[in-house]
Amino acid sequence: MPVPAPGVDPDEPPAVPSGKFGTPGRPLRRSSFLLGFTGALGVLLAYTLYLGIRNAGGILVLVVIALFLAVGLNPAVVRLGRWGVPHGLAVAGVALTVVLLLCGGIVALVPPIVTQSGQFIDQIPSLLDELRRNPTVNDLVERYDVVERVQGAANAETVGRALGGVLGGAQLIFGTVFRTLTVLVLTIYFLAYFDKLRSLGYSLVPRSRRQRVQLIGDEILAKVGAYMVGALSIAVLAGATTFVFALIVDLPYPFALAVVVAVTDLIPQIGATLGAVIVSLVGFAADLPTGIACAVFFLIYQQVENYLIYPKVMRRSVEVNEVAALLAALLGVALLGVVGALIAIPTVAALQLILREVVLPRQERR
């Protein structure tokens, strides 16, 4: 057994050879003060991290949305790459398709809103004239001094509140545009560097477990991507079918209603019903037979989608229990709103895979 040199503590680890930045010094002694200071510093760091995450919650939600979109769109980029398209052109083509779909939805929804608002504003004078000709309305105006109350309400404070509402509406519009552009730009970046980001994530895992983590991670990414592609396919089919039906029954703004149905159909469990209710209300507003036809059409179509289309499309992507899917959708809505509902099913599928391949086998070995 080797004898330690004189003056060297046998419990002290051997010195590391001198490198570029010199030889490391002796480790600090574990005093109570040092332990307390380190613990307090850890608590302070954890609280600071909590505040940072809370303040950056909006940006983190946008990052999560962009990540899920990138995972869902990456199979299209991979497919174009297999066809011989360069990676940059494939990413640009997929991004351009998404932008065109987004612009198509805006073009479909904005004109009806603007047109109907303009029609309502044009009809205000005629509505006021009809009210003036009504003796009951005139009697109520005189009895309760409506004119004086309106003049008293039209003061500087009321005008300021109205301007504040207008400015708040403008801020909401610009904020929505900013968030949409941010998600779009982040999605394009994630698509362009998808393979590098995935390799970086796997390199953070110890080498002894890297292969297994990579296999499970690739399977999760494949399931999430397949779910996103399947959900988009089903939503497009629902929108196209609604558009054809709206043309047949002569509903107003058929393309806008088709876009509404396609977007709401992306929401698990309740989205298809929500879109059906909206279109049926528009049909009942037109006339009673049209509304009944809309209700019957969506009742039949949802049965076909739930029992024929959805199982066939999602058979190879995700298999999630109905109760787990419903609970995940409700929890996602409570945490992140509509975004949480959209990512709930693939998240449950990923957790289900980890539970089946990692947690349960480990419990069986104990």
Side-chain angles (χ1 to χ4, degrees):
M1 178 179 294
V3 179
V8 177
D9 188 359
D11 296 330
E12 182 180 344
V16 180
S18 177
K20 180 180 178 181
F21 299 101
T23 304
R26 298 176 60 184
L28 298 176
R29 295 181 178 178
R30 296 181 179 180
S31 64
S32 58
F33 173 78
L34 182 60
L35 291 176
F37 181 79
T38 304
L41 187 61
V43 172
L44 180 61
L45 181 61
Y47 182 69
T48 304
L49 182 62
Y50 162 75
L51 292 179
I53 294 176
R54 189 185 65 177
N55 295 332
I59 300 298
L60 293 179
V61 170
L62 299 182
V63 172
V64 171
I65 297 173
L67 279 174
F68 268 88
L69 288 177
V71 172
L73 295 174
N74 187 65
V77 176
V78 174
R79 180 64 60 86
L80 292 176
R82 292 175 182 173
W83 292 347
V85 180
H87 183 72
L89 291 179
V91 172
V94 173
L96 182 61
T97 303
V98 173
V99 171
L100 291 178
L101 291 175
L102 182 62
C103 293
I106 294 175
V107 170
L109 293 176
V110 172
I113 296 175
V114 175
T115 302
Q116 292 185 1
S117 300
Q119 292 175 356
F120 176 74
I121 293 174
D122 293 337
Q123 291 177 359
I124 288 179
S126 61
L127 293 175
L128 292 177
D129 290 337
E130 292 179 0
L131 290 176
R132 290 175 182 174
R133 295 171 186 173
N134 192 324
T136 304
V137 174
N138 287 330
D139 181 62
L140 292 175
V141 169
E142 293 178 358
R143 180 179 301 178
Y144 295 101
D145 297 329
V146 175
V147 177
E148 294 182 0
R149 292 177 183 272
V150 171
Q151 291 177 353
N155 51 22
E157 183 178 359
T158 306
V159 173
R161 291 179 180 176
L163 291 177
V166 172
L167 293 177
Q171 183 178 4
L172 176 63
I173 293 174
F174 285 111
T176 303
V177 172
F178 172 76
R179 287 189 289 270
T180 303
L181 292 178
T182 301
V183 170
L184 182 61
V185 171
L186 288 176
T187 303
I188 294 174
Y189 274 110
F190 289 151
L191 279 176
Y193 299 101
F194 189 85
D195 293 335
K196 294 182 179 180
L197 292 175
R198 181 173 57 184
S199 300
L200 177 61
Y202 292 150
S203 64
L204 298 177
V205 180
R207 180 176 295 180
S208 59
R209 302 181 180 181
R210 189 172 302 167
Q211 183 179 4
R212 179 169 170 79
V213 171
Q214 184 173 355
L215 292 174
I216 296 177
D218 288 343
E219 183 67 17
I220 291 175
L221 292 177
K223 286 183 176 295
V224 173
Y227 174 81
M228 298 290 288
V229 172
L232 288 174
S233 302
I234 295 173
V236 171
L237 179 61
T241 308
T242 303
F243 178 72
V244 174
F245 172 77
L247 290 179
I248 293 175
V249 299
D250 197 20
L251 280 175
Y253 308 110
F255 189 59
L257 294 177
V259 172
V260 170
V261 171
V263 172
T264 55
D265 200 70
L266 292 172
I267 304 175
Q269 305 297 324
I270 61 173
T273 304
L274 181 61
V277 169
I278 294 174
V279 178
S280 299
L281 290 176
V282 174
F284 280 111
D287 54 71
L288 182 60
T290 303
I292 295 176
C294 291
V296 173
F297 164 75
F298 280 106
L299 181 62
I300 297 175
Y301 178 79
Q302 286 188 12
Q303 301 305 314
V304 174
E305 180 182 293
N306 292 335
Y307 294 102
L308 292 179
I309 301 175
Y310 192 89
K312 184 172 293 186
V313 173
M314 294 296 185
R315 184 178 301 165
R316 296 181 180 180
S317 56
V318 293
E319 296 179 359
V320 180
N321 184 269
E322 292 293 332
V323 177
L326 179 59
L327 293 178
L330 295 176
L331 185 60
V333 171
L335 294 177
L336 299 176
V338 178
V339 177
L342 294 178
I343 66 177
I345 303 300
T347 302
V348 171
L351 294 177
Q352 182 177 288
L353 178 63
I354 295 174
L355 181 67
R356 185 176 66 247
E357 297 295 334
V358 178
V359 179
L360 294 182
R362 180 177 299 175
Q363 294 297 109
E364 290 293 331
R365 289 193 299 267
R366 289 185 176 181

